[in-house]
């Protein structure tokens, strides 16, 4: 998550102070990724150091205001135009857990999968209820639409995770049917990094 670019995007709408930026960031994302004021001011200090923002006086209550600069605006525009890099994906704790659980002594990996599936489905149901509540009234401002986009991404993500867990369980069933000597083949070569458009097709929009 780029807090740096998120703050620049908010400052593009006009000068803001630290706690105001935190409130607006959380409003846009439904507090899915909460910030604390310390994070905001640390990021603002780095942006100021890099010439992306500058201090712009104070508001009527004495809060120090920050404004985006031309280099900051250029950085923001570049971020919007540049696809999110998928060639070096972040570590995924669930994928690592299942990879380590395969063949681990005393670990029932199917139990691990079933436990995770229960949690994932519960999260998906919670997100779906939030979406239904959000759609109870038509979104009327940018913050409401932005939160709905984030919420739908979470729903698609948990749906994909549930399908992947089903796939993992099916693969383990096939593995259990192999003769012991075929169960110890050499590890495959690492996959080449994905470049360009990510493999596969994006989830169908609703």
């Amino acid at each position: 998550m780029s807090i740096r670019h998120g703050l620049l995007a908010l400052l593009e709408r006009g000068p803001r102070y630290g706690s105001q930026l935190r409130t607006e960031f959380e409003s846009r994302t439904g507090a899915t990724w909460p910030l604390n004021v310390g994070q905001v001011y640390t990021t603002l200090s780095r942006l100021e150091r890099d010439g992306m923002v500058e201090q712009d006086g104070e508001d009527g209550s004495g809060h120090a205001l920050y404004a985006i600069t031309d280099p900051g605006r250029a950085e923001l525009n570049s971020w919007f135009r540049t696809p999110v890099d998928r060639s070096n994906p972040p570590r995924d704790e669930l994928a690592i857990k299942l990879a380590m659980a395969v063949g681990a002594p005393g670990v029932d990996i199917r139990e691990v999968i079933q436990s995770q599936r229960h949690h994932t489905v519960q999260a998906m149901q919670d997100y779906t209820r939030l979406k239904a509540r959000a759609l109870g009234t038509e979104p009327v401002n940018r913050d409401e639409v932005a939160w709905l986009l984030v919420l739908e991404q979470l729903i698609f993500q948990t749906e994909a995770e549930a399908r992947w867990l089903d796939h993992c369980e099916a693969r383990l069933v096939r593995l259990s049917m192999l003769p012991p000597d075929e169960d110890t083949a050499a590890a495959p070569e690492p996959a080449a990094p994905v470049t360009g458009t990510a493999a596969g097709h994006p989830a169908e929009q609703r």
Side-chain angles (χ1 to χ4, degrees):
M1 177 185 62
S2 179
I3 298 173
R4 173 186 180 94
H5 293 103
L7 297 186
L8 285 175
L10 293 172
L11 288 172
E12 177 72 343
R13 299 167 63 181
R16 302 283 194 277
Y17 55 88
S19 58
Q20 186 179 15
L21 286 167
R22 181 190 65 175
T23 298
E24 292 187 14
F25 184 95
E26 293 185 352
S27 178
R28 281 293 183 98
T29 62
T32 303
W33 302 285
L35 300 178
N36 60 55
V37 172
Q39 280 180 291
V40 172
Y41 279 108
T42 296
T43 304
L44 286 172
S45 294
R46 291 172 180 164
L47 287 169
E48 186 177 15
R49 177 199 64 193
D50 296 339
M52 305 290 178
V53 305
E54 61 187 6
Q55 294 197 36
D56 189 36
E58 298 180 346
D59 68 0
S61 301
H63 298 113
L65 296 172
Y66 290 83
I68 192 170
T69 63
D70 287 339
R73 198 166 283 111
E75 170 73 13
L76 177 62
N77 289 335
S78 175
W79 181 60
F80 281 132
R81 292 194 307 267
T82 305
V84 174
D85 185 16
R86 300 299 187 192
S87 62
N88 187 26
R91 293 182 180 88
D92 184 280
E93 182 179 357
L94 178 56
I96 293 171
K97 180 188 289 188
L98 294 189
M100 296 299 110
V102 175
V107 176
D108 184 344
I109 188 170
R110 294 183 69 177
E111 183 180 334
V112 174
I113 290 173
Q114 289 166 7
S115 174
Q116 182 65 44
R117 183 190 290 110
H118 175 77
H119 175 81
T120 300
V121 170
Q122 181 63 57
M124 183 167 53
Q125 292 170 345
D126 290 343
Y127 295 144
T128 303
R129 278 194 291 270
L130 285 173
K131 179 181 176 180
R133 192 180 309 159
L135 291 175
T137 56
E138 189 68 21
V140 295
N141 61 48
R142 287 176 294 188
D143 286 351
E144 290 175 345
V145 172
W147 163 226
L148 190 57
L149 293 178
V150 171
L151 189 53
E152 289 173 333
Q153 191 271 345
L154 293 171
I155 292 171
F156 287 140
Q157 189 176 59
T158 50
E159 287 176 342
E161 184 170 285
R163 291 196 303 272
W164 175 68
L165 289 167
D166 290 341
H167 168 79
C168 290
E169 189 165 35
R171 183 173 292 281
L172 288 167
V173 169
R174 293 195 296 272
L175 178 64
S176 68
M177 296 177 180
L178 289 176
D181 57 339
E182 294 184 30
D183 190 16
T184 55
E189 291 294 324
V194 177
T195 58
T197 303
H201 301 284
E204 183 180 350
Q205 294 299 312
R206 300 184 171 183

